[in-house]
Amino acid sequence: MKRTVSLLISLLILAACFRLSAAADGDAASKGLAAIRATGWADTIVLPKEESYLSEWKTLYARKAFKAPCLPVERISQLHTGRQTMPYLYEGVEVTVVAEENDMSCILYRSNDNELYAGWIQSIRLLEDFPGREYTVGTQPDCDVTFRDDLTVRLSKQTWLTSQQNYTLLSETVPGCLGFTLEYQIIAENTPNWDSIFGPRKIYVRSGGDWTEVGEFPYPEQGAAKVQIWLKEPMDIEAVGTIAQCTQPNVFYFRQTATNFAVAAEES
């Protein structure tokens, strides 16, 4: 009798664990599916199986590709399917992994047009640490800061100042901005003379319609660069631009984005 009762209790505990596990999988699937749908590409890719969704998402970075500035992103959790792929994932871009299956990761990411996409990529193509060069310009202010992540950016259609290239437009002005993170990468050289396109990049911000130089960073070779920029004083930032200090500053194409806009934290 005691063995029967013990067995019954064990079966009840096991059943409860299965129900909890199924509920957790369902919650993870609902959350992950909602995030994919928010990109607008849920009908374009093959969605993960319910059990493939992660209860805790991963924040990773795109690995450097072999002799290329970017990696292909599939529409299904398989490699080389022959189907049309999603927009490329560029070196160093931060991705959010919402599901994993077949050694592939279902990711949310931004391509060089700064639009949000969803797709599948080999999990081994993702890293925990940023793979490119990292720099800091300026000094963090001696105050508590908070970072705004509610902004989107896009490349302008116009050129500016002495540059024949484009600059980065913010979706709205950031008042009292103290700093931000800039990502930069040449993605097409358009010249056999690579020495003519590498060199320092001067950084500018537009505030009140006027452009102000706020620093520079080195760019000695191909690859992704991430620059943490701290401003000397708060500025109302509308746009961000870079001008290459090299002999051919306008022949190449680049990707550029600005994120993590820092403002003074409100006192509680």
Side-chain angles (χ1 to χ4, degrees):
M1 181 64 179
K2 290 183 178 180
R3 290 183 179 180
T4 303
V5 171
S6 298
L7 180 59
L8 180 59
I9 292 173
S10 298
L11 290 174
L12 289 173
I13 292 173
L14 187 60
C17 289
F18 275 127
R19 286 196 296 270
L20 289 173
S21 177
D25 289 343
D27 291 343
S30 297
K31 179 184 174 185
L33 182 57
I36 294 172
R37 284 176 173 164
T39 69
W41 293 95
D43 294 333
T44 303
I45 70 169
V46 174
L47 296 171
K49 300 174 184 177
E50 182 172 344
E51 63 272 19
S52 299
Y53 286 97
L54 303 179
S55 57
E56 293 186 9
W57 297 349
K58 298 178 181 179
T59 299
L60 301 173
Y61 299 90
R63 183 187 294 271
K64 183 176 181 178
F66 181 67
K67 292 185 177 181
C70 54
L71 299 165
V73 180
E74 301 285 350
R75 298 191 179 195
I76 189 172
S77 58
Q78 295 178 16
L79 283 177
H80 313 305
T81 61
R83 302 187 181 196
Q84 182 181 2
T85 57
M86 296 298 292
Y88 287 115
L89 174 65
Y90 285 82
E91 175 192 344
V93 169
E94 183 180 290
V95 309
T96 300
V97 180
V98 299
E100 293 176 332
E101 63 182 55
N102 298 334
D103 296 323
M104 303 278 285
S105 293
C106 184
I107 60 172
L108 314 179
Y109 70 103
R110 294 187 185 276
S111 193
N112 65 317
D113 59 3
N114 289 308
E115 296 293 329
L116 187 62
Y117 296 96
W120 291 92
I121 193 168
Q122 270 186 300
S123 297
I124 60 172
R125 298 286 194 172
L126 303 176
L127 303 171
E128 292 186 357
D129 298 316
F130 181 76
R133 297 176 296 276
E134 298 185 72
Y135 305 103
T136 299
V137 173
T139 304
Q140 183 172 349
D142 187 18
C143 67
D144 292 333
V145 300
T146 185
F147 295 93
R148 292 190 55 180
D149 58 2
D150 59 334
L151 301 171
T152 57
V153 299
R154 62 179 175 84
L155 279 181
S156 70
K157 295 181 180 179
Q158 304 87 11
T159 57
W160 59 292
L161 294 183
T162 61
S163 176
Q164 297 303 306
Q165 300 275 26
N166 308 106
Y167 56 90
T168 299
L169 276 168
L170 279 58
S171 57
E172 63 181 76
T173 299
V174 180
C177 184
L178 300 171
F180 58 93
T181 301
L182 176 76
E183 287 187 31
Y184 180 94
Q185 180 189 6
I186 288 180
I187 60 176
E189 298 83 11
N190 297 323
T191 176
N193 182 15
W194 282 22
D195 288 341
S196 70
I197 61 175
F198 297 133
R201 268 54 175 162
K202 288 188 176 181
I203 310 161
Y204 293 80
V205 298
R206 193 178 73 188
S207 179
D210 297 324
W211 288 98
T212 301
E213 183 182 342
V214 296
E216 71 175 39
F217 64 95
Y219 195 76
E221 59 185 2
Q222 184 61 278
K226 181 185 290 187
V227 189
Q228 176 60 58
I229 300 156
W230 295 108
L231 304 174
K232 293 181 179 179
E233 58 184 8
M235 302 180 70
D236 298 342
I237 293 185
E238 309 160 350
V240 175
T242 54
I243 296 181
Q245 307 302 294
C246 58
T247 57
Q248 289 187 290
N250 299 311
V251 300
F252 54 85
Y253 292 111
F254 62 93
R255 73 170 184 90
Q256 177 176 284
T257 188
T259 58
N260 297 329
F261 293 92
V263 295
E266 295 182 2
E267 295 184 1
S268 57

